[in-house]
C-alpha cells in the first residue's frame, strides 16, 4: 500500500514544480504526456514535511475532505503493529480511498466549513487558486475573468464571488460601478463559473488587484496580454481597425493557444513594440470623465 501526493500541471509550467521541489527538498518530477507531475511517495516525507504545511495553511476546497481522509488512512497504516498491513487494515484503507478525490460523491458541508475556517480566502490563496483554476479569457473579442469548479464546490464558488465583490477594491468610486460577478451553472457538465465581464470592473478592479501579486506560473503571460485586451476596450482602441487587429492577435495567442502542445503549434503573441504603437494614437475615449464604458461607447 503506497501513499502518494501529486501535483499535476501542464508540461509548459514545469518550472513551478521545480520551485516546489527545490523549496521542499523532497519528491521527484515526472513527465506524462502533456503533463508534468511532482510526486512524493515516501511516507516519512509526507508525514514530516507535507502534512505540517497543510496544518499551517488549511486547504479551502473539497480537497480539505480528501486530506482528512488521507491522514486517516495514514494513521491506520502506522497503527498496524508491524507496519505490514493485513487484510483488515487493507480493507479499511481501500474503503477510504474509494470515497476520495474524483470518487467522492457526497460533500459534508458542515465538516468542510469547519475544516476550511468557513472559506477564509486571502489574496495569495486567491492568486494560487486562479493560477490553477482561473481564466483570463477573451470571447467574441470581449475580455472576461472566470473561475470554474464542479457544482460540488458550489459553496466555495459563492465564497469566491463574495471575495471578488467585497474584498477587491474598486478604483472608481461611483454607485453605478459595482463589482457584481455572475455565477453560471452549465447543466450539461455540472460546472459552475464565477464570471466578471464588465469592462469598467475589469479595468478598475481585477487588473490592478492582480498586478500587485506575484504569479508563479506562466498564467502571468496570459494575464499581461489580457490586460492589454482590457485596455483596448476601456480606452476605445478596440473600435478602430488597428486596435481591433491587435486584439485579434492577442486573443489567438493566450491560454490554450500559447501551449507548446497546441495541435496547430503555439501562437506567438504581439511584440511589445506592436502594443506600444497602438497607444501612440489619440485614445478614442476620455476615461478621465469617469463615465461608464457603455456611456463612452
Amino acid at each position: 500500500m503506497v501513499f502518494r501526493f501529486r501535483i499535476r500541471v501542464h508540461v509548459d509550467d514545469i518550472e513551478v514544480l521545480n520551485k516546489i521541489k527545490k523549496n521542499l527538498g523532497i519528491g521527484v518530477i515526472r513527465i506524462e504526456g502533456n503533463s508534468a507531475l511532482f510526486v512524493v511517495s515516501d511516507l516519512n516525507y509526507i508525514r514530516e514535511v507535507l502534512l505540517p504545511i497543510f496544518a499551517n495553511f488549511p486547504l479551502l476546497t473539497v480537497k480539505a475532505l480528501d486530506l482528512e481522509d488521507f491522514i486517516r488512512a495514514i494513521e491506520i497504516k502506522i497503527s498496524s503493529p508491524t507496519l505490514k498491513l493485513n487484510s483488515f487494515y487493507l480493507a479499511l484503507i481501500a474503503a477510504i480511498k474509494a470515497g476520495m478525490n474524483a470518487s467522492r460523491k457526497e460533500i459534508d458541508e458542515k465538516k468542510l466549513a469547519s475544516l476550511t475556517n468557513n472559506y477564509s480566502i486571502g489574496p495569495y490563496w486567491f492568486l494560487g487558486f486562479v493560477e490553477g483554476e482561473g481564466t483570463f479569457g477573451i470571447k467574441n473579442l470581449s475580455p472576461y475573468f472566470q473561475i470554474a469548479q464542479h457544482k460540488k464546490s458550489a459553496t466555495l464558488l459563492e465564497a469566491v464571488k463574495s471575495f471578488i465583490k467585497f474584498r477587491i477594491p474598486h478604483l472608481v468610486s461611483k454607485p453605478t460601478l459595482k463589482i457584481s460577478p455572475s455565477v453560471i451553472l452549465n447543466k450539461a457538465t455540472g460546472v459552475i463559473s464565477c464570471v466578471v465581464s464588465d469592462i469598467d470592473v475589469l479595468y478598475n478592479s481585477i487588473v490592478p488587484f492582480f498586478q500587485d501579486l506575484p504569479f508563479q506560473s506562466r498564467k502571468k503571460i496570459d494575464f499581461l496580454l489580457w490586460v492589454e485586451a482590457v485596455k483596448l476596450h476601456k480606452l476605445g482602441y478596440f473600435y478602430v481597425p488597428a486596435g481591433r487587429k491587435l486584439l485579434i492577435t492577442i486573443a489567438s495567442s493566450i491560454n490554450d493557444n500559447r501551449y507548446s502542445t497546441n495541435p496547430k503549434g503555439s501562437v506567438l503573441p504581439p511584440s511589445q513594440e506592436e502594443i506600444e504603437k497602438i497607444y501612440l494614437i489619440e485614445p478614442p475615449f476620455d476615461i478621465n470623465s469617469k463615465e461608464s464604458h457603455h456611456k463612452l461607447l
Side-chain angles (χ1 to χ4, degrees):
M1 178 68 69
V2 176
F3 289 78
R4 184 179 294 112
F5 171 80
R6 299 194 309 178
I7 300 175
R8 180 188 296 269
V9 299
H10 189 277
V11 68
D12 289 356
D13 277 321
I14 193 171
E15 187 54 34
V16 174
L17 302 186
N18 287 329
K19 289 180 183 178
I20 292 172
K21 183 176 183 297
K22 181 179 179 181
N23 286 333
L24 296 181
I26 60 173
V28 296
I29 294 175
R30 300 172 184 158
I31 305 295
E32 289 185 4
N34 295 339
S35 299
L37 289 86
F38 169 72
V39 183
V40 181
S41 53
D42 184 296
L43 185 57
N44 288 327
Y45 286 152
I46 290 172
R47 293 177 62 201
E48 296 169 11
V49 180
L50 295 180
L51 295 187
I53 292 174
F54 292 126
N56 289 324
F57 302 96
L59 298 172
L60 301 187
T61 69
V62 175
K63 284 290 180 187
L65 295 174
D66 293 327
L67 176 63
E68 184 184 51
D69 287 342
F70 187 60
I71 293 172
R72 190 154 55 94
I74 289 174
E75 289 172 347
I76 292 172
K77 163 82 171 178
I78 62 178
S79 69
S80 174
T82 62
L83 290 183
K84 188 173 182 180
L85 299 175
N86 59 29
S87 59
F88 174 74
Y89 289 109
L90 285 171
L92 285 177
I93 294 175
I96 293 172
K97 180 182 176 182
M100 291 174 58
N101 302 315
S103 300
R104 185 177 296 279
K105 292 182 174 59
E106 296 182 2
I107 306 299
D108 186 333
E109 293 288 356
K110 288 185 178 180
K111 180 185 285 188
L112 187 56
S114 66
L115 290 174
T116 60
N117 294 323
N118 288 308
Y119 302 106
S120 54
I121 296 174
Y124 293 104
W125 180 91
F126 188 66
L127 172 66
F129 191 57
V130 167
E131 291 205 63
E133 306 292 340
T135 301
F136 298 104
I138 300 172
K139 184 176 182 179
N140 298 326
L141 297 184
S142 294
Y144 67 91
F145 168 65
Q146 172 182 287
I147 297 177
Q149 288 283 283
H150 190 271
K151 63 182 179 182
K152 65 185 180 182
S153 296
T155 307
L156 172 64
L157 258 290
E158 283 299 322
V160 165
K161 177 183 177 181
S162 180
F163 178 86
I164 294 172
K165 190 172 182 178
F166 299 111
R167 298 282 301 281
I168 296 181
H170 194 68
L171 299 186
V172 176
S173 298
K174 206 169 185 181
T176 56
L177 298 178
K178 295 181 179 179
I179 305 178
S180 185
S182 302
V183 176
I184 305 164
L185 170 64
N186 185 323
K187 292 183 179 179
T189 62
V191 171
I192 303 175
S193 300
C194 181
V195 185
V196 179
S197 56
D198 183 283
I199 296 299
D200 294 313
V201 174
L202 295 177
Y203 184 82
N204 291 300
S205 294
I206 303 299
V207 168
F209 174 79
F210 283 106
Q211 281 179 325
D212 293 334
L213 293 174
F215 284 81
Q216 298 296 318
S217 73
R218 293 176 76 247
K219 181 77 76 175
K220 184 174 183 179
I221 297 172
D222 295 329
F223 172 70
L224 292 176
L225 288 169
W226 178 83
V227 168
E228 301 303 333
V230 174
K231 288 168 63 178
L232 289 172
H233 272 269
K234 178 62 180 176
L235 301 177
Y237 289 111
F238 171 67
Y239 304 99
V240 299
R244 186 180 182 87
K245 181 180 178 181
L246 177 60
L247 186 51
I248 290 171
T249 304
I250 291 173
S252 65
S253 62
I254 64 173
N255 299 319
D256 290 348
N257 294 319
R258 69 166 165 80
Y259 282 136
S260 61
T261 53
N262 183 356
K264 298 179 181 178
S266 57
V267 181
L268 291 175
S271 67
Q272 192 61 36
E273 183 180 1
E274 290 176 272
I275 294 172
E276 291 174 356
K277 188 176 179 180
I278 290 294
Y279 299 126
L280 295 176
I281 304 171
E282 186 70 20
F285 294 170
D286 176 18
I287 64 169
N288 291 323
S289 66
K290 295 189 178 179
E291 294 288 357
S292 71
H293 178 260
H294 180 74
K295 180 84 171 179
L296 291 169
L297 178 56

